Amino acid sequence: MQAVGNTFIKLSSITLLALSVNLVGCQTFKNLTGGKDVDAVVTAEKSEQAYYNDAIAQIDKGRYTQAIEDLTNLRTFYPTGQYAEQSLLDMMYAQYASGKYETAAASAEQFIRLYPSNPQVSYAYYVRGVANMQGSSEGLKLFKLNQAERDTAYYRIAFANFQELLNKYPNSPYAPDAAQRMTFIYNQFAESEMSAANWYIEREAYVAAVNRAKWVFQYYPLSESVPDAIAVLAYSHEKLGLTDLANEYKTLLQINYPNMLSADGRVKLNTKRERSLVNKLTFGQLSRFDKDTSVSTANYSGATKTQVIRNATQLRLPSDNAANTAAPSSTSPLRLTDDNRRVRLGAVENDSIDMTDSN
């Protein structure tokens, strides 16, 4: 019986040891067996100042991945240090510069949430918009493809980001550039509608083309596509045999945009032209935040920064569900105001023609 008892005691001890190992995990087991403890708590290898200086040096050399690593370590080991806030500003720039646009936007969002009273918070609002404007991490190549033909989800988000920046910080050094980007996005949405209108014209679907052009008047009355919309309306109504309406729109062209009519009164359609892309993206390029410098200025074509911001705050994008709404119909004539930009919606339509675009 004693032997059995001793055996039981020995087995019980082994069982308890095994249970203890399971409870405390691998780290304790390695300590018990004399193995290297690879799960020990990691400590900072450098001081906060050293991490920051090294990160900035890497950014200056274009080594953004290493810079991001240093800045991440800085914020991990010194979350309340003197460089905690500045390091996040630098991190979002490094992420953007390395093409990680979604991550940069997320870092900007984090900065806005954590440090809303920081004097440089408007930079975070700006970076968030610029990063979202670029799109996903795969990147929308702004200078290679027509943005009007791309998915517009990121553009819509960016527009809202810039709009929030202008509303909250109209005096920010980044406000003028944000305003110009808003204007660009707004014009791209309008151009997308005109691209569709021209597609319909090429297929002689003139009723659908009319609806697309009228859509521009309803939702993008301040866009650069307004002259094209009038031209499409004049041309399409003429093709539909609505001569009186076609002549009304030609009169508008003659008064406001005479270069869009030939000498014999024919409408000139710009169906395949290359857009000028305020259209060359003349707004500033994103740079790393520095308290002693500001964002590079854009070419504002003679308008003051105040005017650019004021004009941008008037812009609105239609909601997503607006696409399911038919183009407006009206019995009142279309007219242009004195600035030749604002257009009152609708033109005299023939009630016998269905102007609803099923597409």
Side-chain angles (χ1 to χ4, degrees):
M1 294 296 292
Q2 182 67 35
V4 172
N6 290 338
T7 302
F8 177 76
I9 292 173
K10 292 178 181 178
L11 289 174
S12 298
S13 299
I14 294 172
T15 302
L16 289 173
L17 177 60
L19 289 173
S20 298
V21 169
N22 286 334
L23 289 174
V24 300
C26 298
Q27 180 176 336
T28 303
F29 182 77
K30 290 176 182 177
N31 289 337
L32 289 172
T33 59
K36 184 179 180 181
D37 183 7
V38 297
D39 295 326
V41 176
V42 179
T43 58
E45 297 179 353
K46 295 182 282 190
S47 67
E48 181 184 13
Q49 180 76 56
Y51 271 125
Y52 186 74
N53 290 344
D54 288 349
I56 299 308
Q58 297 297 337
I59 288 176
D60 291 340
K61 296 176 182 178
R63 299 172 181 171
Y64 301 114
T65 300
Q66 183 59 50
I68 292 170
E69 182 178 336
D70 285 333
L71 293 169
T72 300
N73 287 334
L74 187 157
R75 288 185 55 79
T76 299
F77 298 124
Y78 306 97
T80 60
Q82 62 175 326
Y83 291 102
E85 297 182 28
Q86 178 62 45
S87 64
L88 189 51
L89 291 173
D90 290 314
M91 186 183 298
M92 65 182 75
Y93 167 74
Q95 290 166 338
Y96 176 89
S98 61
K100 299 176 180 178
Y101 304 124
E102 291 173 317
T103 307
S107 293
E109 188 70 44
Q110 181 184 25
F111 188 95
I112 293 168
R113 184 179 67 256
L114 294 177
Y115 314 115
S117 60
N118 186 290
Q120 317 308 334
V121 70
S122 68
Y123 177 76
Y125 278 92
Y126 175 70
V127 172
R128 183 180 63 173
V130 173
N132 280 324
M133 189 174 177
Q134 287 281 31
S136 66
S137 56
E138 285 75 20
L140 298 180
K141 306 302 183 181
L142 286 174
F143 296 97
K144 293 183 179 180
L145 294 176
N146 187 345
Q147 297 302 298
E149 298 174 357
R150 285 189 172 275
D151 176 72
T152 58
Y154 283 100
Y155 264 14
R156 185 176 292 277
I157 295 172
F159 187 92
N161 294 157
F162 294 134
Q163 196 170 46
E164 186 176 6
L165 170 59
L166 296 190
N167 289 338
K168 291 185 175 180
Y169 306 99
N171 297 320
S172 165
Y174 307 99
D177 191 78
Q180 188 126 327
R181 289 173 183 268
M182 281 181 67
T183 302
F184 168 78
I185 293 172
Y186 180 83
N187 282 321
Q188 286 289 284
F189 273 91
E191 183 181 333
S192 179
E193 295 300 324
M194 292 312 304
S195 294
N198 290 326
W199 187 88
Y200 285 127
I201 285 177
E202 290 174 358
R203 288 152 183 80
E204 300 182 358
Y206 301 116
V207 172
V210 165
N211 281 328
R212 289 294 187 174
K214 290 172 66 178
W215 190 269
V216 171
F217 289 128
Q218 181 174 8
Y219 292 110
Y220 308 102
L222 302 178
S223 72
E224 295 179 336
S225 293
V226 167
D228 295 333
I230 298 175
V232 165
L233 287 168
Y235 181 87
S236 297
H237 280 103
E238 190 169 53
K239 290 295 184 179
L240 289 168
L242 303 176
T243 305
D244 291 341
L245 274 176
N247 288 337
E248 286 189 29
Y249 289 115
K250 285 184 179 182
T251 299
L252 287 175
L253 290 176
Q254 183 62 49
I255 294 172
N256 297 280
Y257 312 104
N259 62 313
M260 302 194 74
L261 289 174
S262 64
D264 59 359
R266 289 182 292 106
V267 177
K268 297 178 181 178
L269 294 178
N270 297 318
T271 56
K272 295 182 179 180
R273 73 188 184 289
E274 292 295 329
R275 298 286 180 172
S276 65
L277 222 153
V278 195
N279 263 338
K280 291 285 186 181
L281 297 190
T282 55
F283 31 74
Q285 298 299 308
L286 179 65
S287 59
R288 186 176 73 84
F289 174 79
D290 188 323
K291 65 182 180 180
D292 297 323
T293 60
S294 61
V295 68
S296 57
T297 57
N299 175 11
Y300 295 110
S301 303
T304 66
K305 293 181 179 180
T306 301
Q307 288 173 318
V308 170
I309 294 173
R310 184 184 299 116
N311 291 341
T313 57
Q314 299 176 25
L315 305 179
R316 297 290 185 276
L317 295 181
S319 61
D320 288 330
N321 59 7
N324 297 322
T325 305
S329 179
S330 172
T331 56
S332 59
L334 177 149
R335 289 185 172 80
L336 297 179
T337 58
D338 291 339
D339 62 3
N340 293 337
R341 298 288 293 179
R342 298 177 180 275
V343 181
R344 192 158 65 84
L345 302 181
V348 179
E349 299 293 357
N350 188 323
D351 291 339
S352 64
I353 297 181
D354 179 8
M355 302 305 293
T356 302
D357 179 8
S358 59
N359 296 296

